[in-house]
Amino acid sequence: MNYKPGRIFLSVPHMGGHERNYVLKALEDNWVTTAGPNIPGFEHDICQHTNARHAVALNSGTAAIHLALRLLNVQPGDEVLCSTFTFVATANPILYVGATPVFIESEAETWNMCPDTLEQAIQARLKLGKKPTCILLVHLYGMPANMKDLLEVAQKYDIPVVEDAAEALGSRYSGHQLGTFGHIGIFSFNGNKIITTSGGGALVTADEQLAEQARFLSTQAKEQAPHYEHTTMGYNYRISNIAAGIGRGQMEVLEKRVKQRREVFSYYKQHLQRESISFLPEPKGSFSNRWLTTVLLDATSGKSPEELRLALEAQNIEARPLWKPMHLQPLFKDAPYFGNGLSEKLFGKGLCLPSSSSLTEEDLEKVVKVILREVRE
Ligand SMILES: *Cc1c(COP(=O)(O)O)cnc(C)c1O
């Protein structure tokens, strides 16, 4: 990729400073592979911060979702109830295990899985004689889903929950960190997320056996034996000690990064206040890490999100459409979908603004200036 200098990106890595110490130590001690002290150290940091009982550090968030589905024994032909309004990495692992996603529409308040629609979908699938194997829900852009009502539905029908908190590390719901409400939670440390390990992910759970099984499956499912003995299909999904070292440095500044992303949100909200632009408020009891600031453009703005995106691009500023819902993706054209089309409307009206924690006030001023020039009151 060949960008002009001075570009304002959507979301970039932001080192805290101590990452290099952990990485240098790993190099000096020759712990450069998928073993070494940074890995349990990083897992410990994740547990400390999220209050999760067990954490397993992996080489991507997608790998963590794949393992979560394996741990919950999702079989070929099974159905997984999945948020439709998300990035494709949530849904792809359902295909990896040969299952079928059943896409569930969002609610307006959080943009995340609608509890009523979830229940309707479960009832409809039960009527067809098919009980879904698990619920895979997302906390999009860092905003907590309505966990109270979603868990109530999940418990009523006795279906386990996986939380895709890839975008939501550091977000809280009724005082607890996201990722710790479901049977399994997952985080991503991809380069665009709130903190990064260059690439990586983690699976968290309160169930020691599930955590052990995740470690086993992520390291080629080697049975206890001096030779290589295998009874189960495994994966090469463990994080490296180098990447985990970056993660340890990043965990030191996570709180700061959350604060900075929230300040970016506040800046936009304050300076872009007008009839034709709206922001997603935090429901009572929810605390979002505001991973990305999103705006919805009303028709009265006189601009489509795509026109605004191009106007920003002309000034060397990166903005992106909201995620295109999964039930609209050609990849999933045959998958069942339950809902009223809300996410499609959001997709048509929304835009993600540059939200890096390293943005300066000067950068933010520049973005706001372009938007105010383009958009009518
Ligand atoms: C980034 C992301 C993932 C995948 O994480 P990787 O670490 O990139 O594999 C999964 N779900 C959502 C919602 C994401 O934004």
Side-chain angles (χ1 to χ4, degrees):
M1 282 182 276
N2 207 355
Y3 294 120
K4 279 182 278 168
R7 183 169 173 82
I8 298 177
F9 289 96
L10 190 73
S11 181
V12 295
H14 187 182
M15 293 298 107
H18 290 171
E19 293 83 1
R20 70 179 65 213
N21 305 346
Y22 295 106
V23 172
L24 276 177
K25 182 91 173 72
L27 290 169
E28 279 163 16
D29 296 345
N30 203 33
W31 285 118
V32 294
T33 66
T34 51
N38 284 334
I39 297 173
F42 183 40
E43 290 171 343
H44 174 81
D45 295 345
I46 294 169
C47 287
Q48 281 284 305
H49 192 91
T50 62
N51 227 4
R53 208 155 312 149
H54 306 280
V56 181
L58 301 164
N59 57 20
S60 76
T62 310
I65 297 170
H66 187 190
L67 287 184
L69 298 181
R70 279 290 310 272
L71 295 177
L72 295 176
N73 205 22
V74 180
Q75 296 290 323
D78 283 3
E79 292 187 344
V80 174
L81 300 154
C82 179
S83 303
T84 192
F85 197 28
T86 188
F87 177 48
V88 72
T90 308
N92 271 339
I94 301 171
L95 302 182
Y96 299 174
V97 297
T100 303
V102 173
F103 290 116
I104 311 295
E105 189 49 88
S106 301
E107 53 167 13
E109 200 186 15
T110 64
W111 295 6
N112 291 311
M113 188 182 279
C114 171
D116 293 336
T117 311
L118 174 66
E119 180 157 23
Q120 284 159 18
I122 294 171
Q123 287 176 351
R125 297 329 272 179
L126 286 174
K127 237 181 230 157
L128 292 175
K130 206 157 176 72
K131 183 172 169 178
T133 315
C134 81
I135 298 166
L136 174 52
L137 63 88
V138 179
H139 305 292
L140 211 62
Y141 302 119
M143 182 60 75
N146 179 350
M147 291 311 291
K148 180 177 166 286
D149 293 351
L150 288 166
L151 288 176
E152 219 171 270
V153 174
Q155 273 150 19
K156 182 169 167 189
Y157 296 92
D158 192 27
I159 304 176
V161 171
V162 176
E163 278 179 88
D164 178 349
E167 304 177 358
L169 181 64
S171 296
R172 300 194 293 270
Y173 179 85
S174 65
H176 299 283
Q177 296 276 325
L178 295 186
T180 61
F181 288 85
H183 291 73
I184 299 173
I186 77 94
F187 299 114
S188 166
F189 309 111
N190 189 44
N192 64 344
K193 298 303 196 300
I194 191 151
I195 61 165
T196 184
T197 57
S198 76
L203 181 150
V204 293
T205 178
D207 184 327
E208 186 172 3
Q209 260 176 331
L210 288 185
E212 235 166 66
Q213 191 66 8
R215 285 205 175 85
F216 174 73
L217 289 177
S218 70
T219 51
Q220 307 286 20
K222 295 193 234 29
E223 301 291 348
Q224 292 278 350
H227 60 276
Y228 288 95
E229 181 76 14
H230 303 279
T231 53
T232 316
M233 179 176 74
Y235 310 93
N236 183 5
Y237 278 172
R238 201 69 162 128
I239 199 167
S240 81
N241 192 56
I242 302 281
I246 301 176
R248 289 183 86 177
Q250 288 273 277
M251 284 304 292
E252 292 181 12
V253 292
L254 173 57
E255 271 307 293
K256 203 161 149 191
R257 297 294 175 261
V258 171
K259 188 163 170 280
Q260 287 162 325
R261 296 253 176 184
R262 286 176 64 87
E263 281 165 6
V264 167
F265 174 86
S266 299
Y267 186 96
Y268 285 131
K269 187 154 191 292
Q270 189 187 338
H271 290 84
L272 293 174
Q273 204 128 65
R274 52 195 43 229
E275 275 295 299
S276 58
I277 300 180
S278 59
F279 294 82
L280 184 62
E282 258 167 354
K284 200 164 164 287
S286 285
F287 177 90
S288 170
N289 68 6
R290 294 291 184 189
W291 172 57
L292 293 186
T293 293
T294 58
V295 290
L296 295 180
L297 294 183
D298 196 86
T300 58
S301 69
K303 280 279 183 316
S304 69
E306 180 57 11
E307 286 170 319
L308 183 57
R309 189 187 72 78
L310 290 171
L312 289 162
E313 188 57 54
Q315 299 303 315
N316 207 16
I317 298 168
E318 182 187 26
R320 288 279 183 96
L322 303 188
W323 299 125
K324 181 177 174 178
M326 290 304 112
H327 72 278
L328 301 177
Q329 301 286 357
L331 174 63
F332 295 115
K333 65 181 190 316
D334 297 325
Y337 159 75
F338 288 82
N340 57 7
L342 174 71
S343 57
E344 187 170 2
K345 287 195 201 101
L346 295 172
F347 174 60
K349 287 170 61 173
L351 197 66
C352 299
L353 301 181
S355 303
S356 302
S357 47
S358 53
L359 285 172
T360 63
E361 183 140 355
E362 201 178 34
D363 294 330
L364 290 167
E365 263 170 34
K366 193 173 159 195
V367 177
V368 162
K369 205 169 126 197
V370 177
I371 298 174
L372 291 181
R373 198 182 62 208
E374 294 294 318
V375 169
R376 279 202 305 261
E377 266 298 328

